[in-house]
Amino acid sequence: MGKSRRTIPEELLLLALDPTTGTTAQPQSLDLGLAGAQLVELALAGRIAPDGDRIAVVHPRPTGDPTLDSALELLRRRGSPVRAVHWIGGPRLGLRQTYLAHLERCGMVHAVAGQMCGVLPTTRYQASDSEVSRDIRARLDNAIRTGVPPDPRTAALAALAHAVGLGKHLYPGNEGRSSRSRLRDLIRYDPMGGLVAHAVMDVQNGAAAQPKRAPVQGRPAPVGPAGHSSMARAGAR
């Protein structure tokens, strides 16, 4: 995989990066979203594929991206398909810092050292090329504004942005309510993006720790972190 195209984890993190404060929005759920974004990127690269609500490695050849290849190798070592919700909710937190360091090495962001209360050292991150961040945001805005079905990469990015709660960061306040709703609706345009986005929301709702049960007819669907229904996967396939 060449570096001419930004990966979905990179784009998700750049979307979450606040240009004013140099911090990331939704830091707790962002790690989960980045884990899901890795799955989408690996699927687009032909390395993995959905198997029901599970993820199966179909081609273990490395992509050339070290962060993605680390995830691919971990999936390969499982030996059998793994439920997306278990993978995303697994003990692999810290992806946000991993990707910030990765973006810094790639020259997409630069670290700015500072202090909190004049004592505690802090590190903020600024995008090195604001045009890149504007381009990412413009793709989402265009999909929301025009209603034209987006390409799979943009649809997956929108699904993950919604799943981790970036909607209120990107489209704040009452005036952004309709845009947040349309951002949520873009989840249906990419099956893999929908699968992992629902898995991210399920983990936040605690579903990863619960044994899987057959759906009960008429039972209300669990509500996700943004007040939406975390629907059965059928709507995302």
Side-chain angles (χ1 to χ4, degrees):
M1 176 182 295
K3 292 307 295 178
S4 59
R5 172 180 285 175
R6 294 179 299 272
T7 66
I8 293 175
E10 292 168 353
E11 293 194 329
L12 183 65
L13 184 52
L14 287 171
L15 266 183
L17 195 62
D18 191 307
T20 303
T21 65
T23 60
T24 53
Q26 303 298 110
Q28 292 183 334
S29 57
L30 190 56
D31 275 333
L32 303 176
L34 290 170
Q38 286 184 320
L39 293 180
V40 176
E41 192 65 50
L42 287 171
L44 289 171
R47 301 312 196 267
I48 64 174
D51 181 6
D53 68 344
R54 296 175 184 267
I55 303 298
V57 175
V58 295
H59 200 320
R61 182 171 60 86
T63 66
D65 182 302
T67 52
L68 291 175
D69 289 340
S70 176
L72 180 61
E73 177 61 14
L74 287 174
L75 284 166
R76 186 193 66 81
R77 290 178 184 175
R78 293 291 184 98
S80 60
V82 59
R83 286 187 66 201
V85 69
H86 287 164
W87 170 261
I88 290 170
R92 291 173 297 91
L93 299 182
L95 277 178
R96 183 167 49 95
Q97 289 302 322
T98 297
Y99 266 100
L100 281 170
H102 169 72
L103 289 179
E104 187 176 16
R105 288 193 301 270
C106 294
M108 293 189 191
V109 302
H110 60 274
V112 179
Q115 289 184 331
M116 181 182 296
C117 301
V119 178
L120 299 176
T122 61
T123 303
R124 297 180 294 111
Y125 291 88
Q126 300 289 340
S128 300
D129 185 353
S130 57
E131 183 64 29
V132 171
S133 297
R134 284 197 295 268
D135 173 69
I136 298 168
R137 175 66 181 271
R139 282 166 42 214
L140 286 187
D141 289 346
N142 185 65
I144 287 172
R145 183 178 65 255
T146 65
V148 175
D151 63 274
R153 301 184 70 84
T154 301
L157 180 63
L160 288 161
H162 167 69
V164 302
L166 286 183
K168 60 186 177 183
H169 167 71
L170 299 171
Y171 307 104
N174 287 333
E175 64 275 16
R177 183 177 299 173
S178 61
S179 292
R180 293 195 299 271
S181 177
R182 288 193 290 270
L183 179 71
R184 177 196 63 205
D185 291 343
L186 293 178
I187 199 170
R188 70 183 184 271
Y189 289 112
D190 179 63
M192 186 66 178
L195 171 66
V196 298
H198 283 299
V200 167
M201 292 184 284
D202 283 347
V203 172
Q204 294 179 82
N205 287 332
Q210 300 173 4
K212 186 179 179 182
R213 295 187 295 268
V216 178
Q217 187 173 5
R219 181 181 177 181
V223 176
H228 59 278
S229 175
S230 182
M231 302 289 290
R233 300 304 190 281
R237 290 177 184 153

